[in-house]
Amino acid sequence: MFRSGSDHSRYSRYALRVNPVYVILCILSLSILLSLCKSETPKSKVLKSSIVPLEKRFDKSKEIYAFVIPNLKKVKGIPGNKAKDCQKCHTDIYREWSQSTHSMALRDIQFQAELSKKDSPKWICLNCHIPVQNQRKTIVTGLYDGDILRPVTKANPLFDKSMQMEAITCAACHIRPDENGDSVIYGAFPIDKANPPPHPVKIKKDFLQNICMRCHNPAGKGLTRNLICWFQTNNELMASQDEVEKTFGTKKSCVDCHMPEVNRRSVPSIKDLPIRKGHKHHWTGGGIPKWYDGYDQLMDRGYVIGLKVRIHKIIKPQSGSKATIKVTLTNAMAGHWLPTADPERFILMIATVKNSSGRISHKEKLRIGQTWKWSPARKIGDNRIPQGKSIEWVFGIPLKSLTDSKLIIRGYHVRVTSKNAGYHMKAKGIDESLLKGGQNFVKNLIDHYPLANYIYKADIDLKSQKTKVYSMEELIELSKKEKGKPLSERDY
């Protein structure tokens, strides 16, 4: 480093007096040394990565999540393969889809925070959130040394940015290539021959009934130390079919509950079309929306709480200092286990005793869900409730509380704990090509992303035992009030 102008001049003058022969000898000596070093490193020691094709690394018949739906040609007879193209005719279905979490699979703030982690196999995660190859800028052709964190990619000539933004779009379920490679629409019910659609249709009801398994019942070996996206929802449903039949009078599939049948015209604007059987496209599920404004459509989407809560009569002891509270929690109508899907989800029940001045004198908690330890991820507990089954929550409260106190019992369906949400809010490197403004959304997650739903609340006057049970509408309003609440003030 030159420290001053005068020093620079002195070093420059010295350089001009150097013998050119000396410089040439130095260069020759350096060349010889470099060649010697090179000769001492045999080619066998040069590390080279081998490319493992996806078909060699994953079993396509079982590990379908590792493969995208191949690039689709435009369906003949319609403008394109995007949901917006379908909207022109199927207005009711498009409206329902646009309210669903499927349409917001890329606008999921938690997902984007998880995707930014260094050990996240981004390409595999996107296989469910944008499952059609047309939605992907690059094509994954293999893995370097079979490592899922080192995909081999090439540019995708059929990449469609606007289709990417639709996330789990209509084509993910309804468009596939035929034997000639031309795209065709898969439908569940026969078409009206008197008013045929402008596009080719194949009736593939069984295919559509089972398409959910691709992302909602994946199975496989551990991919990274902390990747546990193995949902067993369909397995749970199949194992519970006897109880399902007792509850509903018949066995059920995913579609029966999450896409209930409805009689309507498939194209509302064509009045000549008969009113026929179809399916709703809301997929309400656990009901926790991706954004707070999603609560406004929750009732219209057919949201139902599967947990039934029964508070038994308070038992006063003949002796002792505590009264006994017994609460029965029943999986009344989920079909699968409650809760299901993401292993981090759980139900949290909280019982609080407050005196007349509002002071909390007693508190009890019950957590229902899977319990995991991390790095490597391993399940160490699971007390979830199968369909039709119940668990008893029994606890004691101070006997003196029965004179002037109120018992408040709350139930939450928790998607993300406050602790984990705090980690998400610190995430860096959010891919804003997938979620515009994503870094800011992640940083201010509490203002945008619901972490939990209220699924039950009851206020019990312990003296009279008069009970107020909150309605669905009231529970939704309570859930909306969590918006912006500091993480430290939340119960979960």
Side-chain angles (χ1 to χ4, degrees), residues 148-168:
I148 67 165
L149 298 180
R150 299 170 61 208
V152 181
T153 63
K154 65 178 182 180
N156 182 10
L158 296 182
F159 172 57
D160 185 334
K161 181 65 178 179
S162 58
M163 187 177 181
Q164 181 189 73
M165 292 296 100
E166 292 181 342
I168 304 170

Side-chain angles (χ1 to χ4, degrees), residues 233 236 331 334 336-347 368-370 382-386 413-414:
T233 304
E236 296 161 8
N331 180 351
H336 43 67
W337 290 11
L338 192 66
T340 191
D342 190 330
E344 291 186 272
R345 289 178 180 249
F346 62 93
I347 290 170
I368 304 169
Q370 302 178 54
D382 191 345
N383 67 340
R384 292 177 297 155
I385 313 174
H413 175 195
V414 182

Side-chain angles (χ1 to χ4, degrees), residues 255-432:
V255 170
D256 291 330
C257 293
H258 293 282
M259 298 183 68
E261 289 183 347
V262 58
N263 291 317
R264 62 186 177 189
R265 294 183 179 89
S266 60
V267 182
S269 62
I270 302 178
K271 302 305 179 184
D272 290 339
L273 280 177
I275 295 175
R276 307 177 68 195
K277 192 180 293 182
H279 286 285
K280 290 189 175 181
H281 287 65
H282 281 128
W283 305 286
T284 309
I288 309 177
K290 297 298 184 186
W291 295 75
Y292 272 102
D293 58 9
Y295 282 115
D296 296 335
Q297 296 93 34
L298 206 49
M299 293 291 288
D300 291 339
R301 292 173 60 204
Y303 175 52
V304 175
I305 297 171
L307 182 71
K308 180 181 178 182
V309 181
R310 180 188 173 200
I311 303 171
H312 298 263
K313 189 175 180 179
I314 299 167
I315 302 171
K316 300 178 183 179
Q318 293 182 349
S319 63
S321 60
K322 287 191 174 182
T324 301
I325 308 291
K326 180 181 175 183
V327 181
T328 301
L329 304 165
T330 303
N331 180 351
M333 54 191 308
H336 43 67
W337 290 11
L338 192 66
T340 191
D342 190 330
E344 291 186 272
R345 289 178 180 249
F346 62 93
I347 290 170
L348 179 64
M349 301 298 299
I350 301 176
T352 306
V353 177
K354 287 185 178 181
N355 61 23
S356 56
S357 62
R359 186 179 67 85
I360 296 175
S361 61
H362 191 76
K363 197 170 190 178
E364 296 280 346
K365 288 186 178 183
L366 173 67
R367 183 186 184 279
I368 304 169
Q370 302 178 54
T371 306
W372 288 75
K373 280 199 171 183
W374 303 98
S375 294
R378 59 197 185 280
K379 185 161 71 170
I380 59 173
D382 191 345
N383 67 340
R384 292 177 297 155
I385 313 174
Q387 166 62 32
K389 304 301 181 183
S390 302
I391 61 175
E392 303 293 344
W393 182 28
V394 181
F395 55 91
I397 62 171
L399 195 57
K400 60 183 180 181
S401 299
L402 300 182
T403 57
D404 68 342
S405 295
K406 180 162 62 174
L407 174 64
I408 303 167
I409 295 182
R410 288 166 291 157
Y412 297 97
H413 175 195
V414 182
R415 175 166 59 196
V416 185
T417 64
S418 294
K419 182 178 179 181
N420 285 344
Y423 294 137
H424 293 327
M425 292 172 72
K426 297 175 184 176
K428 302 295 182 184
I430 304 300
D431 187 346
E432 301 227 353

Side-chain angles (χ1 to χ4, degrees), residues 13 247 412:
R13 288 194 299 270
T247 302
Y412 297 97

Side-chain angles (χ1 to χ4, degrees), residues 96-114:
E96 293 163 1
W97 167 84
S98 65
Q99 294 173 351
S100 74
T101 54
H102 280 180
S103 70
M104 301 178 191
L106 272 190
R107 298 185 65 234
D108 184 327
I109 296 175
Q110 179 196 7
F111 173 69
Q112 290 295 344
E114 295 282 0

Side-chain angles (χ1 to χ4, degrees), residues 425-478:
M425 292 172 72
K426 297 175 184 176
K428 302 295 182 184
I430 304 300
D431 187 346
E432 301 227 353
S433 71
L434 298 177
L435 177 60
K436 188 177 181 180
Q439 190 66 65
N440 186 58
F441 289 136
V442 167
K443 181 181 178 182
N444 298 289
L445 176 147
I446 60 173
D447 296 324
H448 308 290
Y449 194 68
L451 305 183
N453 272 2
Y454 270 87
I455 56 172
Y456 184 81
K457 188 178 180 185
D459 298 338
I460 305 118
D461 184 298
L462 290 174
K463 187 175 182 179
S464 66
Q465 296 198 27
K466 185 177 180 180
T467 302
K468 169 185 166 51
V469 177
Y470 286 64
S471 68
M472 178 84 78
E473 291 85 354
E474 289 173 313
L475 294 175
I476 290 173
E477 288 303 312
L478 287 172

